[in-house]
Amino acid sequence: MSAQSHYATCTLCEAMCGIEVRHDGDQILSIKGDKLNPFSQGYLCPKASSLKDLYEDPKRLRQPHQRVNGQWQPVSWETAIDKVVSGLLAVQRAHGDDAVGVYLGNPNAHNMGSLLYGPAFYRALNTRNRFSATSVDQLPHHVVSRLLFGHQLQIPIPDIDHTQCMVILGGNPLASNGSIMSVANVRQRLKAIQQRGGQVIVIDPKRTETAQMASDHLFIRPGADVLLLLSMLCDVFERDLVNPEHLSDYLPEWQSIGDFVAAYPPERTAIHTGVSPDSLRALVDCFCHAPSAVLYGRMGASVQAFGTLNQYLIMLFNMLTGNLDRRGGMMFTQPAADHLSQGGHGAMARHHSRVRQLPSFAGEFPVACLAEEILTPGEGQIRAMVIAAGNPVISTPNADQLSKALSQLDFLVAIDFYLNESNANADIILPPVSPLERDHYDLVFHKLAVRNFATFSPALFSTSEAHKSDWQIYLMLAEKLLVEKYGNADPLKPLQQTTPSGIIDNLLRHGRYANSHELSIDTLKANPHGIDLGPLQPDLPNALFTESNTIELHLQHFFADLKRVEEVFFDTPYEPPHHLWLIGRRHLKSNNSWLHHVDRLVKGNNRCDVQMHPHDAANLGIEQDETVILRSERGEIRLPVDITEDIMPGVVSVPHGWGHDVPETWGGEAFAVSGVNVNRLTDDRAIDALSGNAVLNGVPVTAHKVRAPASS
Ligand SMILES: Nc1nc2c(c(=O)[nH]1)N[C@H]1C(S)=C(S)[C@@H](COP(=O)(O)OP(=O)(O)OC[C@H]3O[C@@H](n4cnc5c(=O)[nH]c(N)nc54)[C@H](O)[C@@H]3O)O[C@H]1N2
Ligand SMILES: Nc1nc2c(c(=O)[nH]1)N[C@H]1C(S)=C(S)[C@@H](COP(=O)(O)OP(=O)(O)OC[C@H]3O[C@@H](n4cnc5c(=O)[nH]c(N)nc54)[C@H](O)[C@@H]3O)O[C@H]1N2
Ligand code: SF4
Ligand SMILES: [Mo]
């Protein structure tokens, strides 16, 4: 054998970087950025190398295991699938279909096999109790797109490559590499805005990596974005800066928006936001006078008490300034394999959760109510769970309660190649192959990308019959379950006769570039660096899925939440809080909860500590690196402090994804850094009323000094 290059896409985050894997047979020699990939142009972040670690890790599970008397034993696929299906069915037969719950984690979105074949299994399970990481993340974006544009996945994306003014509210793309904005090499693309005379403005309680390179940065008090946005809208009406231009025909009701926001002049909100009226008006001026501009809000703006109203107001602001569906503004994408018409538009409130009566969205309940559905006795109580590619004990609010709940289940199944903090108690674990061992096409992230582009990654390493991809696991589970339930698996015939790549091939051949670029899997295989399909294009009215063929503002529905705004901020006179506000952060070398066992990623400054402003540290008598106790209504954690002027006074920041303290997990090796689970502090009772999304930013906490040495 001699060294060869294989071109693929990194599956670890939303940026879709092209990689060149040098390998000699099944030995990976190096992973570098693919310079010829038109989307990422050679860019890569340090996480890409962990694809090699994942592939090689001898401790990664390669065979199903079942737990017998507390001991894990390898079993055949056949036995494992039989046991999973009989275990789940036993619970459903005794207690009803809803007694089985499902939690789907984030990596499902990066896995076309899970996206295309998972639904068959979950449909066959026929349970209402479905949950996912969506409700600790981007749920507000789906709700807003569902109502305004008629489809939950029709989310417009910042046209970063053409804008002259980009305002980033609660996102840190330099660490996250972008989200709901697939954008490789975001640093370069933000720099390019500035080089062409434009502005990048970051509004964040932290002076983040992104804020440091921005043209301007404004601190904002966590959770107060809704007031900033209301004041921005109030200001554009007051100063007659509203001009929806080409959008007027689609927005029959736009003039009424002024009535709802008139009560929020910047002078009324400044005390809460920490943004002075002058700064706010300067921001509005900069935005409104730019030839094109885009206001983009992410994690920090979405996963907080007013996440949905925030995303709605962001969309209104873009629309009222004429910046939706316009070059350099927020634009709809034109993906090559478009699955929009295939999936649900996003059914709203079809069901309500049993205990708290929270409404479902797109067939899922908010994960903030998962633990109570397991812990509260009664008909419909969840007694068994399937957790697929997720780690909810680390990622969802009130970790201790969920941990307790999962340990009480009668039956727990995991689809994962590692034991993690959530599935360590499972009865059976079904491990799929690692990313480089499966075909890959980004069904979701091409839809959310800043440029139309298509690329296909064939599996680099073929695997034997003994190893299964997620889609094969799902197909086996669905077949067995349908046969057991109904005597045949006939509904699966279309899936049995194809593969995920076959489905993508079909989508490409019937997609909008079928003729112009003769797109198919074969064409993409012949172009291993991917095919550029050009910049985002104005797409109204085609982009609309609404019955009226207009943008439906649902003013009463969204602005009903102003009642809560008044209660939270204005019902009692302002007083400085006696607590600190907890927010989250990401590190370039972390990926949610799941790469902390890879040594090369936890070296250096990737650590789990609490960042605190020097004023707060001085008030509390805390010095650099000392251990601090953070307490909330839900729990407490102890971790070292990092004192920095880069955080707003009154705010503390702790990264999520840590707290690796369960034996045997992640291959069983001791962690160089195990950190603590910040979601022991977050509260399952705190949700965004309009969506049920969890509140993970802007959580009230207190801090105290301890004398014991730091634990991480
Ligand atoms: N406090 C706080 N909490 C947060 C956040 C925050 O900012 N602050 N962020 C939230 C967000 S945005 C998200 S998306 C969630 C993430 O939360 P989750 O989705 O629950 O967790 P992950 O850490 O992504 O879990 C990944 C698991 O999937 C497995 N896995 C990886 N790839 C595959 C695969 O291809 N197939 C299968 N079957 N398994 C795979 C890994 O081994 C790991 O066990 O966390 C949320 N939690
Ligand atoms: N390296 C790395 N990359 C990742 C991930 C990862 O874990 N590691 N996770 C991936 C996932 S699942 C997602 S969803 C994306 C998320 O991608 P981003 O949305 O860019 O998420 P963060 O980097 O957490 O940035 C959120 C920012 O919001 C700020 N913030 C917190 N609270 C508030 C608030 O109340 N108001 C405002 N205005 N700002 C606030 C925080 O200080 C932080 O800078 O990243 C993805 N990419
Ligand atoms: S930014 Fe890093 S993790 Fe994300 S796709 Fe690119 S190389 Fe992979
Ligand atoms: Mo996420």
Side-chain angles (χ1 to χ4, degrees):
M1 276 286 185
S2 59
Q4 286 179 305
S5 285
H6 171 87
Y7 298 97
T9 305
C10 173
T11 50
L12 294 173
C13 87
E14 300 177 39
M16 296 193 291
C17 297
I19 54 175
E20 176 184 2
V21 187
R22 292 287 290 165
H23 65 107
D24 189 347
D26 63 2
Q27 298 292 309
I28 297 178
L29 306 173
S30 67
I31 297 184
K32 296 207 170 92
D34 175 5
K35 294 201 178 70
L36 298 178
N37 180 302
F39 189 70
S40 59
Q41 299 172 356
Y43 174 79
L44 206 63
C45 91
K47 287 190 293 304
S49 305
S50 65
L51 291 170
K52 171 175 153 75
D53 304 286
L54 277 175
Y55 171 65
E56 289 172 353
D57 184 359
K59 299 284 179 68
R60 174 170 55 81
L61 296 173
R62 287 167 170 78
Q63 195 178 347
H65 281 69
Q66 66 172 337
R67 217 155 40 94
V68 180
N69 299 327
Q71 298 293 314
W72 285 104
Q73 294 176 351
V75 281
S76 70
W77 279 103
E78 201 184 350
T79 307
I81 299 289
D82 280 358
K83 293 208 171 208
V84 168
V85 170
S86 60
L88 295 174
L89 273 180
V91 170
Q92 288 195 316
R93 284 182 179 137
H95 304 287
D97 286 352
D98 294 336
V100 171
V102 171
Y103 174 84
L104 303 181
N106 166 280
N108 286 296
H110 301 262
N111 186 319
M112 66 170 176
S114 307
L115 290 168
L116 294 169
Y117 280 67
F121 171 58
Y122 298 117
R123 257 196 309 274
L125 271 180
N126 190 38
T127 173
R128 287 180 187 180
N129 278 316
R130 294 178 57 172
F131 305 84
S132 79
T134 292
S135 48
V136 280
D137 190 350
Q138 81 288 1
L139 180 55
H141 301 248
H142 295 308
V143 171
V144 169
S145 282
R146 169 69 187 93
L147 290 170
L148 268 59
F149 312 124
H151 200 299
Q152 55 161 334
L153 299 177
Q154 192 59 299
I155 304 174
I157 307 302
D159 185 15
I160 189 171
D161 291 339
H162 301 101
T163 194
Q164 286 297 106
C165 175
M166 180 155 180
V167 179
I168 302 177
L169 187 67
N172 183 14
L174 255 59
S176 68
N177 281 294
S179 182
I180 319 255
M181 171 177 71
S182 284
V183 52
N185 202 355
V186 69
R187 179 192 289 276
Q188 181 48 42
R189 285 169 135 135
L190 289 173
K191 243 192 225 157
I193 299 177
Q194 294 166 315
Q195 280 162 355
R196 58 179 179 262
Q199 306 283 315
V200 176
I201 301 169
V202 172
I203 306 171
D204 196 301
K206 222 197 117 181
R207 193 178 298 114
T208 60
E209 296 87 333
T210 313
Q212 285 174 26
M213 70 159 294
S215 328
D216 203 358
H217 166 239
L218 299 174
F219 278 129
I220 184 164
R221 204 217 78 187
D225 304 75
V226 65
L227 297 180
L228 175 91
L229 292 162
L230 286 165
S231 290
M232 286 167 68
L233 282 161
C234 175
D235 187 50
V236 288
F237 275 100
E238 253 180 11
R239 292 197 287 147
D240 217 6
L241 293 166
V242 177
N243 187 1
E245 298 179 31
H246 61 292
L247 299 168
S248 301
D249 289 349
Y250 300 106
L251 290 169
E253 298 170 286
W254 71 263
Q255 293 187 2
S256 337
I257 297 168
D259 302 338
F260 290 97
V261 298
Y264 300 93
E267 283 69 18
R268 183 175 180 223
T269 57
I271 184 113
H272 295 281
T273 59
V275 178
S276 72
D278 284 351
S279 304
L280 186 141
R281 291 201 170 95
L283 170 73
V284 167
D285 280 333
C286 179
F287 197 93
C288 291
H289 295 131
S292 62
V294 62
L295 172 60
Y296 159 77
R298 218 13 220 121
M299 208 49 212
S302 304
V303 191
Q304 53 138 293
F306 291 98
T308 306
L309 191 52
N310 287 343
Q311 288 302 333
Y312 179 66
L313 298 172
I314 286 171
M315 213 57 86
L316 292 186
F317 195 79
N318 283 314
M319 295 192 296
L320 290 176
T321 54
N323 283 300
L324 178 79
D325 199 44
R326 159 206 204 164
R327 185 137 298 171
M330 274 284 189
M331 298 192 75
F332 297 103
T333 63
Q334 294 81 33
D338 199 347
H339 60 305
L340 269 196
S341 46
Q342 320 244 321
H345 288 201
M348 302 199 49
R350 186 167 285 169
H351 305 295
H352 286 81
S353 67
R354 180 180 61 107
V355 179
R356 221 190 305 178
Q357 297 297 308
L358 294 180
S360 63
F361 180 82
E364 291 179 358
F365 290 125
V367 71
C369 72
L370 171 57
E372 71 201 25
E373 292 296 331
I374 301 173
L375 291 168
T376 314
E379 209 178 314
Q381 179 184 6
I382 298 177
R383 292 162 188 271
M385 284 286 301
V386 180
I387 301 180
N391 195 358
V393 165
I394 300 283
S395 2
T396 71
N398 197 354
D400 291 344
Q401 179 182 244
L402 183 60
S403 191
K404 177 175 152 210
L406 293 177
S407 71
Q408 292 183 9
L409 291 170
D410 294 344
F411 193 60
L412 174 57
V413 180
I415 305 178
D416 205 306
F417 36 57
Y418 286 106
L419 284 177
N420 65 28
E421 291 72 16
S422 308
N423 64 31
N425 275 326
D427 294 280
I428 302 194
I429 181 160
L430 306 172
V433 296
S434 76
L436 294 173
E437 297 166 302
R438 53 172 157 89
D439 290 355
H440 175 71
Y441 182 91
D442 268 301
L443 200 49
V444 170
F445 299 107
H446 283 308
K447 174 70 195 154
L448 303 176
V450 299
R451 199 170 165 91
N452 296 316
F453 170 64
T455 179
F456 177 75
S457 314
L460 168 55
F461 302 114
S462 58
T463 52
S464 75
E465 261 296 286
H467 301 126
K468 308 287 180 195
S469 274
D470 288 83
W471 69 273
Q472 293 169 306
I473 298 172
Y474 279 124
L475 192 56
M476 291 188 293
L477 287 170
E479 283 167 349
K480 183 79 188 165
L481 187 59
L482 284 174
V483 168
E484 291 292 321
K485 268 190 165 175
Y486 308 111
N488 70 72
D490 293 350
L492 296 176
K493 278 201 180 122
L495 288 181
Q496 288 163 331
Q497 286 161 4
T498 184
T499 59
S501 301
I503 297 175
I504 300 291
D505 188 50
N506 195 40
L507 286 169
L508 292 171
R509 286 174 190 275
H510 293 92
R512 69 179 88 211
Y513 309 96
N515 296 330
S516 58
H517 292 75
E518 291 180 5
L519 276 196
S520 67
I521 291 285
D522 283 343
T523 326
L524 292 180
K525 278 187 180 163
N527 292 274
H529 309 289
I531 296 182
D532 183 46
L533 300 166
L536 305 183
Q537 299 294 338
D539 209 10
L540 286 177
N542 286 341
L544 297 178
F545 287 73
T546 51
E547 269 178 30
S548 62
N549 223 22
T550 63
I551 297 167
E552 295 180 0
L553 290 180
H554 294 273
L555 294 168
Q556 302 298 337
H557 175 86
F558 286 105
F559 282 123
D561 212 18
L562 290 181
K563 186 162 172 287
R564 209 164 48 104
V565 170
E566 291 294 322
E567 280 164 17
V568 169
F569 294 101
F570 301 112
D571 274 5
T572 50
Y574 176 79
E575 265 187 59
H578 298 294
H579 57 74
L580 298 162
W581 296 106
L582 171 70
I583 61 170
R585 67 175 191 266
R586 285 174 160 74
H587 191 284
L588 190 58
K589 290 204 256 171
S590 274
N591 198 19
N592 296 323
S593 77
W594 68 285
L595 290 170
H596 293 142
H597 65 295
V598 175
D599 281 343
R600 71 169 103 210
L601 294 184
V602 290
K603 285 198 187 121
N605 62 354
N606 181 13
R607 60 173 212 166
C608 179
D609 56 26
V610 49
Q611 295 177 335
M612 187 184 277
H613 191 272
H615 290 170
D616 294 315
N619 282 343
L620 296 161
I622 295 169
E623 289 183 27
Q624 176 68 17
D625 292 325
E626 277 186 326
T627 300
V628 169
I629 304 185
L630 290 184
R631 273 199 198 107
S632 74
E633 281 196 21
R634 280 314 198 186
E636 68 170 54
I637 56 175
R638 292 168 183 234
L639 73 177
V641 68
D642 180 25
I643 299 173
T644 166
E645 300 215 336
D646 286 337
I647 195 153
M648 194 175 180
V651 179
V652 287
S653 160
V654 179
H656 76 290
W658 298 90
H660 304 295
D661 52 8
V662 178
E664 289 189 32
T665 53
W666 305 109
E669 304 282 339
F671 276 84
V673 181
S674 57
V676 293
N677 183 353
V678 71
N679 283 317
R680 296 181 64 197
L681 299 179
T682 55
D683 194 338
D684 55 304
R685 296 165 303 184
I687 54 167
D688 165 25
L690 287 178
S691 63
N693 210 35
V695 178
L696 305 179
N697 289 300
V699 176
V701 294
T702 56
H704 308 271
K705 169 188 172 110
V706 278
R707 297 197 182 276
S711 60
S712 103

